[in-house]
Amino acid sequence: ETGVTQSPTHLIKTRGQQVTLRCSSQSGHNTVSWYQQALGQGPQFIFQYYREEENGRGNFPPRFSGLQFPNYSSELNVNALELDDSALYLCASSEGLGLSGEKLFFGSGTQLSVL
Amino acid sequence: QQQVKQSPQSLIVQKGGIPIINCAYENTAFDYFPWYQQFPGKGPALLIAIRPDVSEKKEGRFTISFNKSAKQFSLHIMDSQPGDSATYFCAARRPGGSYIPTFGRGTSLIVHP
């Protein structure tokens, strides 16, 4: 059983650029959630995908968008990067919604720095 | 608006001590309260979780105490070890919708040998 993997581990971009982060969910998991974790803060929910459909979104602007693929891997895209987007981006997979989806399994994250 | 308030922000104990981390919530609809442990350079990992129908849950050296009337819950780490040094996050989740937990701001724990 493989865990949640994210790529790349680190990324440096300049303001105004676009970035794509990738996540492979744990085997058997069909739900992926993305979180932004600023330094010294708890993870903030960005959005969730369940069986390739967006299933909830946090308080993030539309320039944060995502995809989930048939193999349940996922991408997070951020357009028009701003300095405040610098953070650790975490992907978490779970086994569906409801009780089965309570346990989140996080990847190690992508550390994004925007200069 | 911070729905889950966590304290203290940081905590230092000696090996064998019992660090206690507290969380308070506002939304009485929350029905699942997990704690996550995060080491530097890693994502959070689920440590232990409780539902509001019980007042205490133990898993190994980790115990959650839950006070529904006070809307508070806490994590106790028995016989703490240097390897427990990490950041701990409490979270709370409400049923329905996307079942997404709201996280506290975290507590940085250092256990000295």
Side-chain angles (χ1 to χ4, degrees):
Chain A
E1 181 177 285
T2 58
V4 179
T5 58
Q6 291 187 243
S7 62
T9 55
H10 295 82
L11 202 51
I12 299 175
K13 291 285 188 178
T14 57
R15 194 170 50 180
Q17 284 188 313
Q18 177 266 343
V19 68
T20 297
L21 311 181
R22 295 178 174 83
C23 171
S24 294
S25 59
Q26 185 162 312
S27 176
H29 289 183
N30 57 15
T31 305
V32 172
S33 305
W34 285 92
Y35 292 80
Q36 180 194 67
Q37 186 177 19
L39 190 63
Q41 301 293 319
Q44 296 293 314
F45 172 64
I46 301 175
F47 44 59
Q48 180 187 72
Y49 279 85
Y50 171 65
R51 293 185 174 180
E52 303 179 60
E53 298 283 333
E54 186 177 293
N55 186 57
R57 188 179 182 92
N59 189 26
F60 281 81
R63 58 188 185 86
F64 286 77
S65 63
L67 281 174
Q68 187 179 31
F69 300 100
N71 66 355
Y72 303 130
S73 66
S74 178
E75 285 183 355
L76 164 65
N77 298 290
V78 187
N79 293 322
L81 284 167
E82 301 177 358
L83 297 179
D84 285 348
D85 296 334
S86 295
L88 180 68
Y89 288 85
L90 295 163
C91 167
S93 74
S94 55
E95 190 181 340
L97 303 177
L99 290 178
S100 62
E102 282 182 340
K103 293 185 178 180
L104 300 180
F105 295 83
F106 283 87
S108 294
T110 294
Q111 184 65 54
L112 173 65
S113 298
V114 182
L115 306 178
Chain B
Q1 181 184 5
Q2 188 182 357
Q3 296 191 51
V4 180
K5 295 183 180 180
Q6 183 172 348
S7 63
Q9 191 172 6
S10 61
L11 193 52
I12 301 174
V13 299
Q14 292 295 125
K15 178 183 174 182
I18 306 176
I20 301 173
I21 305 171
N22 301 298
C23 284
Y25 63 96
E26 298 170 358
N27 190 340
T28 55
F30 288 142
D31 71 341
Y32 178 70
F33 301 87
W35 285 88
Y36 286 83
Q37 179 189 56
Q38 185 176 28
F39 293 105
K42 299 293 184 183
L46 180 64
L47 194 61
I48 186 173
I50 197 169
R51 298 189 190 283
D53 55 345
V54 298
S55 59
E56 186 176 277
K57 183 174 181 180
K58 292 183 180 181
E59 286 188 4
R61 295 185 294 107
F62 300 93
T63 299
I64 300 178
S65 297
F66 188 85
N67 186 330
K68 187 174 181 179
S69 60
K71 294 187 285 186
Q72 295 176 347
F73 58 110
S74 59
L75 176 69
H76 301 232
I77 305 176
M78 306 302 176
D79 187 28
S80 59
Q81 302 296 313
D84 296 329
S85 299
T87 300
Y88 293 81
F89 295 95
C90 63
R93 191 210 71 170
R94 60 178 175 83
S98 46
Y99 297 89
I100 298 301
T102 299
F103 286 84
R105 290 187 173 177
T107 296
S108 175
L109 172 66
I110 296 175
V111 181
H112 284 307

Short mmCIF file of all heavy atoms in Angstrom, two decimals, chain B residues 29-82:
data_model
loop_
_atom_site.label_atom_id
_atom_site.label_comp_id
_atom_site.label_asym_id
_atom_site.label_seq_id
_atom_site.Cartn_x
_atom_site.Cartn_y
_atom_site.Cartn_z
N ALA B 29 -22.31 21.87 16.31
CA ALA B 29 -22.59 20.85 15.29
C ALA B 29 -21.38 19.96 15.03
O ALA B 29 -21.51 18.92 14.40
CB ALA B 29 -23.04 21.51 13.99
N PHE B 30 -20.21 20.35 15.52
CA PHE B 30 -19.03 19.50 15.32
C PHE B 30 -19.26 18.12 15.93
O PHE B 30 -19.75 18.01 17.05
CB PHE B 30 -17.80 20.14 15.96
CG PHE B 30 -17.28 21.35 15.23
CD1 PHE B 30 -16.78 22.43 15.94
CD2 PHE B 30 -17.24 21.40 13.85
CE1 PHE B 30 -16.28 23.54 15.28
CE2 PHE B 30 -16.74 22.50 13.19
CZ PHE B 30 -16.26 23.58 13.91
N ASP B 31 -18.87 17.07 15.21
CA ASP B 31 -19.14 15.73 15.71
C ASP B 31 -17.92 14.81 15.69
O ASP B 31 -18.03 13.61 15.97
CB ASP B 31 -20.27 15.09 14.89
CG ASP B 31 -19.83 14.73 13.48
OD1 ASP B 31 -18.81 15.28 13.00
OD2 ASP B 31 -20.51 13.90 12.85
N TYR B 32 -16.77 15.34 15.36
CA TYR B 32 -15.58 14.49 15.26
C TYR B 32 -14.39 15.37 15.55
O TYR B 32 -14.25 16.45 14.95
CB TYR B 32 -15.50 13.88 13.86
CG TYR B 32 -14.29 13.02 13.57
CD1 TYR B 32 -14.14 11.78 14.17
CD2 TYR B 32 -13.33 13.44 12.65
CE1 TYR B 32 -13.04 10.99 13.88
CE2 TYR B 32 -12.24 12.65 12.36
CZ TYR B 32 -12.09 11.42 12.97
OH TYR B 32 -11.02 10.62 12.68
N PHE B 33 -13.54 14.95 16.49
CA PHE B 33 -12.46 15.80 16.98
C PHE B 33 -11.14 15.03 16.91
O PHE B 33 -10.78 14.31 17.84
CB PHE B 33 -12.75 16.26 18.41
CG PHE B 33 -14.03 17.02 18.54
CD1 PHE B 33 -15.24 16.37 18.74
CD2 PHE B 33 -14.04 18.41 18.44
CE1 PHE B 33 -16.43 17.05 18.85
CE2 PHE B 33 -15.23 19.12 18.54
CZ PHE B 33 -16.43 18.44 18.75
N PRO B 34 -10.40 15.19 15.82
CA PRO B 34 -9.11 14.49 15.69
C PRO B 34 -7.95 15.36 16.15
O PRO B 34 -8.03 16.59 16.19
CB PRO B 34 -9.01 14.24 14.18
CG PRO B 34 -9.76 15.39 13.57
CD PRO B 34 -10.83 15.80 14.57
N TRP B 35 -6.88 14.70 16.50
CA TRP B 35 -5.60 15.36 16.76
C TRP B 35 -4.59 14.83 15.75
O TRP B 35 -4.53 13.64 15.47
CB TRP B 35 -5.09 15.05 18.18
CG TRP B 35 -5.81 15.79 19.25
CD1 TRP B 35 -6.95 15.40 19.90
CD2 TRP B 35 -5.45 17.06 19.82
NE1 TRP B 35 -7.32 16.34 20.83
CE2 TRP B 35 -6.41 17.37 20.81
CE3 TRP B 35 -4.40 17.95 19.60
CZ2 TRP B 35 -6.36 18.54 21.56
CZ3 TRP B 35 -4.35 19.11 20.36
CH2 TRP B 35 -5.32 19.39 21.33
N TYR B 36 -3.79 15.78 15.23
CA TYR B 36 -2.76 15.43 14.27
C TYR B 36 -1.39 15.80 14.83
O TYR B 36 -1.24 16.78 15.56
CB TYR B 36 -2.99 16.16 12.94
CG TYR B 36 -4.14 15.61 12.14
CD1 TYR B 36 -5.46 16.00 12.39
CD2 TYR B 36 -3.92 14.68 11.12
CE1 TYR B 36 -6.50 15.48 11.66
CE2 TYR B 36 -4.97 14.17 10.39
CZ TYR B 36 -6.25 14.58 10.66
OH TYR B 36 -7.29 14.05 9.92
N GLN B 37 -0.40 15.01 14.44
CA GLN B 37 0.99 15.24 14.83
C GLN B 37 1.78 15.53 13.55
O GLN B 37 1.65 14.80 12.56
CB GLN B 37 1.55 13.99 15.52
CG GLN B 37 2.99 14.04 15.97
CD GLN B 37 3.46 12.67 16.44
OE1 GLN B 37 3.39 11.67 15.73
NE2 GLN B 37 3.94 12.60 17.67
N GLN B 38 2.58 16.59 13.59
CA GLN B 38 3.36 16.95 12.40
C GLN B 38 4.82 17.16 12.77
O GLN B 38 5.14 18.00 13.61
CB GLN B 38 2.79 18.22 11.74
CG GLN B 38 3.48 18.58 10.43
CD GLN B 38 2.83 19.79 9.76
OE1 GLN B 38 2.26 20.64 10.41
NE2 GLN B 38 2.93 19.85 8.43
N PHE B 39 5.68 16.42 12.09
CA PHE B 39 7.12 16.60 12.24
C PHE B 39 7.62 17.53 11.15
O PHE B 39 7.00 17.63 10.08
CB PHE B 39 7.84 15.25 12.17
CG PHE B 39 7.54 14.34 13.34
CD1 PHE B 39 6.69 13.24 13.19
CD2 PHE B 39 8.10 14.58 14.58
CE1 PHE B 39 6.41 12.42 14.26
CE2 PHE B 39 7.81 13.76 15.65
CZ PHE B 39 6.96 12.68 15.49
N PRO B 40 8.73 18.22 11.39
CA PRO B 40 9.26 19.15 10.38
C PRO B 40 9.47 18.46 9.03
O PRO B 40 10.00 17.35 8.95
CB PRO B 40 10.59 19.59 10.99
CG PRO B 40 10.40 19.45 12.46
CD PRO B 40 9.53 18.24 12.62
N GLY B 41 9.00 19.12 7.99
CA GLY B 41 9.17 18.58 6.64
C GLY B 41 8.19 17.49 6.27
O GLY B 41 8.30 16.90 5.19
N LYS B 42 7.24 17.23 7.13
CA LYS B 42 6.24 16.17 6.87
C LYS B 42 4.84 16.75 6.96
O LYS B 42 4.61 17.80 7.53
CB LYS B 42 6.38 15.04 7.90
CG LYS B 42 7.73 14.35 7.88
CD LYS B 42 7.94 13.58 6.59
CE LYS B 42 9.25 12.81 6.62
NZ LYS B 42 9.48 12.09 5.33
N GLY B 43 3.89 16.00 6.40
CA GLY B 43 2.50 16.40 6.55
C GLY B 43 1.96 15.91 7.88
O GLY B 43 2.55 15.05 8.54
N PRO B 44 0.84 16.45 8.32
CA PRO B 44 0.22 15.99 9.57
C PRO B 44 -0.19 14.53 9.46
O PRO B 44 -0.59 14.06 8.40
CB PRO B 44 -1.01 16.90 9.71
CG PRO B 44 -0.74 18.06 8.82
CD PRO B 44 0.09 17.54 7.69
N ALA B 45 -0.10 13.83 10.59
CA ALA B 45 -0.52 12.43 10.65
C ALA B 45 -1.55 12.29 11.77
O ALA B 45 -1.34 12.82 12.87
CB ALA B 45 0.67 11.52 10.91
N LEU B 46 -2.63 11.60 11.47
CA LEU B 46 -3.67 11.40 12.48
C LEU B 46 -3.12 10.63 13.66
O LEU B 46 -2.52 9.57 13.51
CB LEU B 46 -4.85 10.64 11.86
CG LEU B 46 -6.03 10.35 12.79
CD1 LEU B 46 -6.69 11.65 13.24
CD2 LEU B 46 -7.05 9.46 12.09
N LEU B 47 -3.34 11.18 14.85
CA LEU B 47 -2.83 10.60 16.09
C LEU B 47 -3.93 9.86 16.85
O LEU B 47 -3.81 8.70 17.20
CB LEU B 47 -2.25 11.72 16.95
CG LEU B 47 -1.38 11.39 18.13
CD1 LEU B 47 -0.14 10.64 17.70
CD2 LEU B 47 -0.98 12.68 18.84
N ILE B 48 -5.00 10.54 17.10
CA ILE B 48 -6.10 10.00 17.89
C ILE B 48 -7.31 10.90 17.65
O ILE B 48 -7.15 12.07 17.32
CB ILE B 48 -5.73 9.95 19.40
CG1 ILE B 48 -6.80 9.25 20.25
CG2 ILE B 48 -5.41 11.34 19.93
CD1 ILE B 48 -6.39 9.05 21.70
N ALA B 49 -8.50 10.34 17.78
CA ALA B 49 -9.70 11.14 17.55
C ALA B 49 -10.80 10.70 18.52
O ALA B 49 -10.78 9.57 19.03
CB ALA B 49 -10.18 11.00 16.11
N ILE B 50 -11.76 11.61 18.75
CA ILE B 50 -12.84 11.31 19.68
C ILE B 50 -14.15 11.87 19.14
O ILE B 50 -14.15 12.83 18.35
CB ILE B 50 -12.54 11.90 21.08
CG1 ILE B 50 -13.42 11.27 22.17
CG2 ILE B 50 -12.66 13.43 21.08
CD1 ILE B 50 -12.98 11.62 23.58
N ARG B 51 -15.24 11.26 19.55
CA ARG B 51 -16.57 11.78 19.23
C ARG B 51 -17.19 12.33 20.50
O ARG B 51 -16.81 11.91 21.59
CB ARG B 51 -17.44 10.66 18.64
CG ARG B 51 -16.91 10.12 17.36
CD ARG B 51 -17.89 9.17 16.69
NE ARG B 51 -17.25 8.49 15.59
CZ ARG B 51 -17.01 9.03 14.40
NH1 ARG B 51 -17.38 10.26 14.17
NH2 ARG B 51 -16.43 8.35 13.46
N PRO B 52 -18.17 13.23 20.39
CA PRO B 52 -18.70 13.90 21.58
C PRO B 52 -19.53 13.03 22.50
O PRO B 52 -19.96 13.50 23.56
CB PRO B 52 -19.53 15.05 20.98
CG PRO B 52 -19.83 14.65 19.59
CD PRO B 52 -18.69 13.80 19.14
N ASP B 53 -19.77 11.77 22.15
CA ASP B 53 -20.56 10.91 23.02
C ASP B 53 -19.72 10.21 24.10
O ASP B 53 -20.26 9.49 24.93
CB ASP B 53 -21.35 9.88 22.21
CG ASP B 53 -20.45 9.05 21.30
OD1 ASP B 53 -19.29 9.45 21.08
OD2 ASP B 53 -20.91 8.02 20.80
N VAL B 54 -18.41 10.44 24.08
CA VAL B 54 -17.54 9.89 25.12
C VAL B 54 -16.71 11.01 25.72
O VAL B 54 -16.47 12.03 25.08
CB VAL B 54 -16.60 8.78 24.59
CG1 VAL B 54 -17.41 7.61 24.08
CG2 VAL B 54 -15.70 9.31 23.51
N SER B 55 -16.27 10.84 26.96
CA SER B 55 -15.54 11.91 27.64
C SER B 55 -14.03 11.69 27.62
O SER B 55 -13.27 12.61 27.92
CB SER B 55 -16.00 12.02 29.09
OG SER B 55 -15.78 10.79 29.77
N GLU B 56 -13.60 10.49 27.29
CA GLU B 56 -12.17 10.22 27.28
C GLU B 56 -11.86 9.07 26.33
O GLU B 56 -12.64 8.13 26.21
CB GLU B 56 -11.69 9.87 28.69
CG GLU B 56 -10.19 9.69 28.82
CD GLU B 56 -9.75 9.43 30.26
OE1 GLU B 56 -9.60 10.40 31.01
OE2 GLU B 56 -9.58 8.25 30.60
N LYS B 57 -10.71 9.18 25.68
CA LYS B 57 -10.25 8.10 24.82
C LYS B 57 -8.74 7.98 24.95
O LYS B 57 -8.04 9.01 24.93
CB LYS B 57 -10.63 8.35 23.36
CG LYS B 57 -10.24 7.21 22.44
CD LYS B 57 -10.75 7.44 21.04
CE LYS B 57 -10.38 6.27 20.12
NZ LYS B 57 -10.89 6.48 18.73
N LYS B 58 -8.26 6.74 25.11
CA LYS B 58 -6.82 6.50 25.26
C LYS B 58 -6.33 5.62 24.14
O LYS B 58 -6.96 4.63 23.78
CB LYS B 58 -6.53 5.81 26.60
CG LYS B 58 -6.78 6.65 27.81
CD LYS B 58 -6.40 5.91 29.09
CE LYS B 58 -6.64 6.76 30.32
NZ LYS B 58 -6.25 6.05 31.56
N GLU B 59 -5.17 5.97 23.60
CA GLU B 59 -4.48 5.12 22.65
C GLU B 59 -3.00 5.19 22.97
O GLU B 59 -2.35 6.20 22.70
CB GLU B 59 -4.75 5.55 21.21
CG GLU B 59 -6.14 5.21 20.72
CD GLU B 59 -6.35 5.46 19.24
OE1 GLU B 59 -5.38 5.84 18.55
OE2 GLU B 59 -7.50 5.32 18.78
N GLY B 60 -2.51 4.14 23.60
CA GLY B 60 -1.12 4.14 24.03
C GLY B 60 -0.87 5.22 25.06
O GLY B 60 -1.58 5.32 26.06
N ARG B 61 0.10 6.08 24.80
CA ARG B 61 0.42 7.15 25.74
C ARG B 61 -0.40 8.43 25.50
O ARG B 61 -0.23 9.40 26.22
CB ARG B 61 1.91 7.48 25.61
CG ARG B 61 2.83 6.34 26.05
CD ARG B 61 4.31 6.75 26.03
NE ARG B 61 4.80 7.03 24.69
CZ ARG B 61 5.06 8.23 24.22
NH1 ARG B 61 4.89 9.30 24.98
NH2 ARG B 61 5.51 8.40 23.00
N PHE B 62 -1.26 8.40 24.51
CA PHE B 62 -2.04 9.59 24.16
C PHE B 62 -3.48 9.45 24.65
O PHE B 62 -4.12 8.43 24.43
CB PHE B 62 -2.01 9.81 22.64
CG PHE B 62 -0.63 10.00 22.10
CD1 PHE B 62 0.11 8.94 21.63
CD2 PHE B 62 -0.05 11.27 22.09
CE1 PHE B 62 1.39 9.11 21.13
CE2 PHE B 62 1.24 11.46 21.59
CZ PHE B 62 1.96 10.37 21.13
N THR B 63 -3.97 10.52 25.30
CA THR B 63 -5.34 10.53 25.82
C THR B 63 -6.02 11.82 25.41
O THR B 63 -5.43 12.90 25.51
CB THR B 63 -5.33 10.43 27.36
OG1 THR B 63 -4.71 9.20 27.76
CG2 THR B 63 -6.75 10.48 27.91
N ILE B 64 -7.25 11.70 24.94
CA ILE B 64 -8.08 12.88 24.70
C ILE B 64 -9.12 12.94 25.82
O ILE B 64 -9.79 11.95 26.10
CB ILE B 64 -8.83 12.80 23.36
CG1 ILE B 64 -7.88 12.71 22.18
CG2 ILE B 64 -9.71 14.04 23.20
CD1 ILE B 64 -8.61 12.59 20.84
N SER B 65 -9.24 14.11 26.42
CA SER B 65 -10.33 14.39 27.35
C SER B 65 -11.30 15.34 26.68
O SER B 65 -10.87 16.32 26.07
CB SER B 65 -9.78 15.02 28.64
OG SER B 65 -8.93 14.12 29.29
N PHE B 66 -12.59 15.05 26.79
CA PHE B 66 -13.59 15.83 26.07
C PHE B 66 -14.65 16.32 27.04
O PHE B 66 -15.22 15.54 27.80
CB PHE B 66 -14.22 14.98 24.97
CG PHE B 66 -15.12 15.75 24.04
CD1 PHE B 66 -14.58 16.41 22.95
CD2 PHE B 66 -16.47 15.82 24.27
CE1 PHE B 66 -15.40 17.14 22.10
CE2 PHE B 66 -17.29 16.54 23.42
CZ PHE B 66 -16.75 17.20 22.33
N ASN B 67 -14.92 17.63 27.01
CA ASN B 67 -15.94 18.23 27.86
C ASN B 67 -16.97 18.91 26.96
O ASN B 67 -16.75 20.03 26.49
CB ASN B 67 -15.31 19.24 28.82
CG ASN B 67 -16.31 19.79 29.82
OD1 ASN B 67 -17.50 19.91 29.55
ND2 ASN B 67 -15.82 20.14 30.99
N LYS B 68 -18.06 18.20 26.70
CA LYS B 68 -19.05 18.68 25.75
C LYS B 68 -19.72 19.97 26.22
O LYS B 68 -19.94 20.90 25.43
CB LYS B 68 -20.11 17.60 25.50
CG LYS B 68 -21.09 17.92 24.40
CD LYS B 68 -21.99 16.74 24.14
CE LYS B 68 -22.97 17.02 23.01
NZ LYS B 68 -23.84 15.85 22.73
N SER B 69 -20.04 20.06 27.51
CA SER B 69 -20.75 21.24 28.01
C SER B 69 -19.87 22.49 27.92
O SER B 69 -20.36 23.58 27.65
CB SER B 69 -21.21 21.02 29.45
OG SER B 69 -20.11 20.78 30.30
N ALA B 70 -18.58 22.32 28.13
CA ALA B 70 -17.65 23.45 28.06
C ALA B 70 -17.15 23.68 26.64
O ALA B 70 -16.45 24.67 26.39
CB ALA B 70 -16.47 23.22 29.00
N LYS B 71 -17.47 22.77 25.74
CA LYS B 71 -16.99 22.83 24.35
C LYS B 71 -15.46 22.92 24.32
O LYS B 71 -14.87 23.79 23.64
CB LYS B 71 -17.64 23.98 23.58
CG LYS B 71 -19.14 23.77 23.41
CD LYS B 71 -19.78 24.81 22.49
CE LYS B 71 -19.92 26.13 23.20
NZ LYS B 71 -20.66 27.13 22.39
N GLN B 72 -14.85 22.01 25.07
CA GLN B 72 -13.39 21.97 25.14
C GLN B 72 -12.91 20.52 25.06
O GLN B 72 -13.61 19.60 25.50
CB GLN B 72 -12.90 22.59 26.44
CG GLN B 72 -13.19 24.08 26.58
CD GLN B 72 -12.78 24.63 27.93
OE1 GLN B 72 -12.49 23.88 28.86
NE2 GLN B 72 -12.74 25.95 28.04
N PHE B 73 -11.74 20.35 24.51
CA PHE B 73 -11.10 19.03 24.51
C PHE B 73 -9.59 19.21 24.58
O PHE B 73 -9.07 20.27 24.20
CB PHE B 73 -11.53 18.18 23.31
CG PHE B 73 -11.24 18.76 21.95
CD1 PHE B 73 -10.25 18.22 21.14
CD2 PHE B 73 -11.96 19.84 21.46
CE1 PHE B 73 -9.99 18.73 19.88
CE2 PHE B 73 -11.71 20.36 20.21
CZ PHE B 73 -10.73 19.81 19.41
N SER B 74 -8.93 18.22 25.12
CA SER B 74 -7.49 18.35 25.33
C SER B 74 -6.77 17.05 25.05
O SER B 74 -7.36 15.97 25.10
CB SER B 74 -7.21 18.80 26.77
OG SER B 74 -7.73 17.87 27.69
N LEU B 75 -5.51 17.19 24.73
CA LEU B 75 -4.63 16.05 24.47
C LEU B 75 -3.61 15.97 25.60
O LEU B 75 -2.97 16.97 25.93
CB LEU B 75 -3.91 16.22 23.13
CG LEU B 75 -2.89 15.16 22.76
CD1 LEU B 75 -3.59 13.82 22.46
CD2 LEU B 75 -2.04 15.60 21.57
N HIS B 76 -3.47 14.79 26.17
CA HIS B 76 -2.48 14.53 27.20
C HIS B 76 -1.50 13.49 26.66
O HIS B 76 -1.93 12.47 26.10
CB HIS B 76 -3.13 13.96 28.47
CG HIS B 76 -4.17 14.84 29.08
ND1 HIS B 76 -4.16 15.21 30.40
CD2 HIS B 76 -5.27 15.44 28.54
CE1 HIS B 76 -5.21 15.98 30.67
NE2 HIS B 76 -5.89 16.13 29.56
N ILE B 77 -0.22 13.75 26.84
CA ILE B 77 0.79 12.79 26.41
C ILE B 77 1.49 12.26 27.66
O ILE B 77 2.24 12.99 28.32
CB ILE B 77 1.81 13.42 25.45
CG1 ILE B 77 1.10 14.07 24.26
CG2 ILE B 77 2.80 12.35 24.95
CD1 ILE B 77 2.02 14.81 23.30
N MET B 78 1.23 11.02 27.98
CA MET B 78 1.82 10.40 29.17
C MET B 78 3.28 10.02 28.91
O MET B 78 3.62 9.64 27.78
CB MET B 78 1.02 9.16 29.56
CG MET B 78 -0.46 9.40 29.74
SD MET B 78 -0.79 10.66 30.98
CE MET B 78 -2.57 10.80 30.86
N ASP B 79 4.09 10.10 29.96
CA ASP B 79 5.50 9.67 29.85
C ASP B 79 6.13 10.19 28.56
O ASP B 79 6.62 9.41 27.73
CB ASP B 79 5.57 8.14 29.92
CG ASP B 79 7.00 7.62 29.99
OD1 ASP B 79 7.86 8.36 30.49
OD2 ASP B 79 7.24 6.50 29.51
N SER B 80 6.10 11.49 28.36
CA SER B 80 6.55 12.07 27.08
C SER B 80 8.03 11.74 26.83
O SER B 80 8.84 11.64 27.76
CB SER B 80 6.31 13.57 27.07
OG SER B 80 7.00 14.19 28.14
N GLN B 81 8.34 11.59 25.56
CA GLN B 81 9.68 11.22 25.10
C GLN B 81 10.19 12.28 24.11
O GLN B 81 9.40 12.96 23.47
CB GLN B 81 9.63 9.86 24.41
CG GLN B 81 9.11 8.74 25.27
CD GLN B 81 10.01 8.45 26.47
OE1 GLN B 81 11.24 8.36 26.33
NE2 GLN B 81 9.41 8.34 27.65
N PRO B 82 11.52 12.40 23.98
CA PRO B 82 12.06 13.36 23.01
C PRO B 82 11.50 13.16 21.59
O PRO B 82 11.32 14.12 20.85
CB PRO B 82 13.56 13.11 23.06
CG PRO B 82 13.79 12.64 24.46
CD PRO B 82 12.58 11.80 24.80
#
